[in-house]
Amino acid sequence: MALWGGRFKEGPDQRFKDFNDSLKFDYRLAVEDIEGSECWAEAICQAGVLTAAECQSLKQALEELKSEVLADPQAVAQAGDEDIHSFVERRLIEKIGNLGKKLHTGRSRNDQVALDLKLWCKKACHEVKQAIIQVEKQLVATAERYQGCIFPGYTHLQRAQPVTFAHWVLAYAQMLERDYQRLSNAEELMQTSPLGSAALAGTAYPIDREKLAQALGFKHATHNSLDAVADRDHVMELLSCASISMVHLSRLAEDLIIYNSGEAKFVTLSDKVTSGSSLMPQKKNPDALELIRGKCGRVIGALSGMLVTCKALPLAYDKDLQEDKERLFDAVDTWLACLEMTALVFEGLVLNEDQALQAAKGGYANATELADYLVAHNLPFREAHSLVGQIVLYAIEQHKALEELSLEEFRRFSAVIDDTVYPHLHFDKILAARDVLGGVALGQTAGEIKDWQTLLAEHSAKLGQKD
Ligand code: ARG
């Protein structure tokens, strides 16, 4: 049963129907459509369209329908209706007869779908935030486990200065926390309800839209009906949050793939998130991480696709907007799956402390320290930099680390160098010197870990989630 047969002489071509119908994917909006309908029934009842008894029966039938769709969502997908709105209305009429036909008074599928999708986006924000917290918890636990472990820090993928593994892990916690905050900001902009905007010009029934908005869980009602039915900013914004976050996850994945490589061997991935080769028995491949890195493209693709769909789209509703759903659902599913996988990777991640320490020691990662030592002995930094460059060149030729040079060798380059240089080149000293907010000193990291634990407990409490 279509919602619009009256002005047509013949039915749609089956090929057009297959092309046009959206139930096969918008069935995922069933709960939002039903809850929106319950609030709409209440609103038109207050506007005098329904009696209190009619409203009651409608709401009861809708509740029953909600249990049915929750029990078997796939059955909804395959029901053959044009879209989720047609499905809900048909089932309602099958349940309570003609009364079901009154529900759509003063409403259009345009404000209905705008509402359903906005409600879905709000729920998605909440769900993704919970998933982000799970990853953050794993990151913080990993940082705590390996707090004092020295790790090579890179720029240009060249060993630069030593850091700790905890400091590296917490860098990603910062990125994910910005993703969390970005979602919270996006949620704030999803706080207006489009219901009551009808097809494009606003409903002709005296609905208290502010009250309706609050019943639906929004802060306010939208203030322009043309905008309200055509607005998909929340979809674009969620996809853009997803894309940025996936970029973070892909960087994390890439770092770990490198650190796990046979060349580095700084970390060992758990068997739970790796797979073997059908040909080479020795292989243990970082598939989980590679897929996270790869799926980033898919999510960014969804964002670009959505932006292009909306570009130059005339007001108000156009069917182009039906293209918003599949990519949004896919992107959010992908994002959630990647967050879950990232948490799992960290659950079983082992740091090979010795390998990491040796790598940090190689590559003259304490050269900056030597320059700072010379600065402390009154050399201008630029001169110290150049001098240390020459010392490093000499040490490379001698196949020695800086701390392995004799005092006599050091003094060939500068007479200000004395015995006190050796403790300066020591790794513990290098870390300890960076005792600035955001620096790599162990005391800073310990404080950060404490702060993270407090913050994550706060987030969990806010989201109504156990620790
Ligand atoms: N399936 C449609 C969508 O997703 C619902 C709105 C249809 N509105 C219309 N005027 N045909 O956008």
Side-chain angles (χ1 to χ4, degrees):
M1 181 195 70
L3 296 178
W4 38 261
R7 68 98 56 232
F8 288 78
K9 284 192 184 147
E10 50 176 340
D13 188 294
Q14 185 59 41
R15 287 163 296 182
F16 166 68
K17 186 169 157 42
D18 292 344
F19 186 63
N20 188 51
D21 286 1
S22 54
L23 186 62
K24 49 192 174 295
F25 48 87
D26 69 14
Y27 76 94
R28 290 183 64 168
L29 299 175
V31 169
E32 288 76 13
D33 199 75
I34 292 170
E35 288 173 356
S37 294
E38 288 174 347
C39 290
W40 184 245
E42 193 64 55
I44 54 173
C45 174
Q46 281 161 25
V49 175
L50 300 175
T51 66
E54 285 176 327
C55 179
Q56 204 40 47
S57 329
L58 266 172
K59 279 168 53 178
Q60 201 181 323
L62 284 163
E63 273 301 295
E64 270 175 44
L65 188 55
K66 185 157 93 179
S67 314
E68 284 170 30
V69 305
L70 282 171
D72 193 356
Q74 282 309 320
V76 181
Q78 283 143 28
D81 301 271
E82 181 183 338
D83 54 26
I84 188 60
H85 326 296
S86 319
F87 169 87
V88 170
E89 191 164 319
R90 174 177 63 77
R91 290 291 296 122
L92 204 55
I93 294 166
E94 283 169 6
K95 277 178 181 296
I96 53 169
N98 278 342
L99 175 57
K101 297 181 181 168
K102 287 192 177 181
L103 176 64
H104 208 53
T105 313
R107 186 175 67 165
S108 156
R109 278 184 296 166
N110 297 352
D111 59 346
Q112 200 177 346
V113 75
L115 169 75
D116 292 359
L117 200 58
K118 217 174 199 179
L119 288 173
W120 192 92
C121 286
K122 283 175 67 180
K123 278 189 201 161
C125 286
H126 189 83
E127 210 182 321
V128 177
K129 279 164 80 171
Q130 284 182 326
I132 289 178
I133 292 179
Q134 293 313 314
V135 182
E136 290 180 330
K137 280 184 181 161
Q138 285 299 334
L139 293 176
V140 173
T142 308
E144 202 177 14
R145 195 158 68 237
Y146 295 120
Q147 238 181 96
C149 296
I150 292 176
F151 200 76
Y154 291 86
T155 63
H156 311 269
L157 211 51
Q158 305 283 316
R159 267 170 268 169
Q161 285 177 341
V163 293
T164 58
F165 191 57
H167 203 58
W168 173 84
V169 171
L170 291 180
Y172 283 100
Q174 291 288 341
M175 293 180 222
L176 280 159
E177 181 57 21
R178 288 198 295 276
D179 296 339
Y180 184 99
Q181 298 297 341
R182 203 170 282 114
L183 272 170
S184 302
N185 294 343
E187 266 178 312
E188 269 311 298
L189 286 175
M190 293 179 198
Q191 285 302 345
T192 53
S193 161
L195 196 59
S197 300
L200 74 165
T203 186
Y205 293 81
I207 304 288
D208 181 343
R209 291 196 55 229
E210 279 289 353
K211 194 170 165 197
L212 173 59
Q214 273 138 33
L216 288 160
F218 292 95
K219 287 191 180 154
H220 293 292
T222 53
H223 275 227
N224 184 294
S225 57
L226 285 172
D227 172 50
V229 292
D231 171 28
R232 294 293 181 277
D233 286 7
H234 37 291
V235 177
M236 293 186 257
E237 197 148 28
L238 193 46
L239 288 173
S240 117
C241 292
S243 298
I244 296 174
S245 177
M246 284 298 298
V247 166
H248 294 153
L249 296 182
S250 78
R251 294 181 78 170
L252 172 56
E254 172 70 351
D255 266 358
L256 281 179
I257 289 168
I258 294 171
Y259 299 160
N260 175 65
S261 69
E263 284 65 33
K265 293 201 192 86
F266 302 156
V267 297
T268 303
L269 298 172
S270 132
D271 286 1
K272 289 185 183 156
V273 292
T274 45
S275 79
S277 153
S278 58
L279 185 118
M280 300 164 281
Q282 84 284 12
K283 289 291 287 293
K284 180 172 157 184
N285 299 325
D287 296 44
L289 293 167
E290 290 168 292
L291 279 169
I292 292 169
R293 190 175 59 183
K295 283 177 193 292
C296 179
R298 178 164 163 172
V299 174
I300 293 173
L303 170 63
S304 327
M306 186 63 200
L307 291 170
V308 177
T309 293
C310 292
K311 179 200 169 286
L313 195 66
L315 285 186
Y317 176 84
D318 303 279
K319 198 57 173 273
D320 314 43
L321 288 175
Q322 183 167 286
E323 285 295 305
D324 55 6
K325 292 171 203 63
E326 285 162 286
R327 52 171 66 114
L328 173 67
F329 296 158
D330 182 69
V332 172
D333 289 348
T334 304
W335 189 11
L336 283 168
C338 290
L339 287 165
E340 191 185 20
M341 256 333 105
T342 306
L344 200 60
V345 164
F346 274 92
E347 231 179 84
L349 188 79
V350 175
L351 173 69
N352 303 325
E353 297 178 33
D354 230 44
Q355 293 274 354
L357 179 66
Q358 290 319 317
K361 282 188 170 169
Y364 301 94
N366 50 359
T368 313
E369 243 26 62
L370 182 55
D372 284 340
Y373 174 87
L374 294 173
V375 167
H377 288 76
N378 289 329
L379 252 78
F381 181 74
R382 207 35 70 210
E383 262 175 50
H385 183 285
S386 156
L387 202 59
V388 174
Q390 294 167 38
I391 301 176
V392 167
L393 190 61
Y394 170 80
I396 291 172
E397 284 162 6
Q398 303 299 312
H399 304 289
K400 285 181 175 174
L402 285 180
E403 61 276 21
E404 287 164 1
L405 296 179
S406 67
L407 191 55
E408 191 265 318
E409 284 173 305
F410 272 128
R411 291 178 72 90
R412 272 187 235 155
F413 293 90
S414 170
V416 303
I417 302 179
D418 59 31
D419 258 355
T420 57
V421 74
Y422 294 103
H424 252 271
L425 298 176
H426 204 272
F427 274 64
D428 295 342
K429 198 78 188 289
I430 299 177
L431 298 186
R434 281 147 182 84
D435 195 9
V436 63
L437 180 65
V440 76
L442 298 191
Q444 293 289 338
T445 306
E448 283 295 314
I449 290 174
K450 275 220 180 75
D451 290 351
W452 273 110
Q453 284 160 344
T454 313
L455 181 75
L456 292 179
E458 276 168 26
H459 282 347
S460 294
K462 235 191 226 159
L463 292 178
Q465 183 183 66
K466 279 195 234 96
D467 260 334

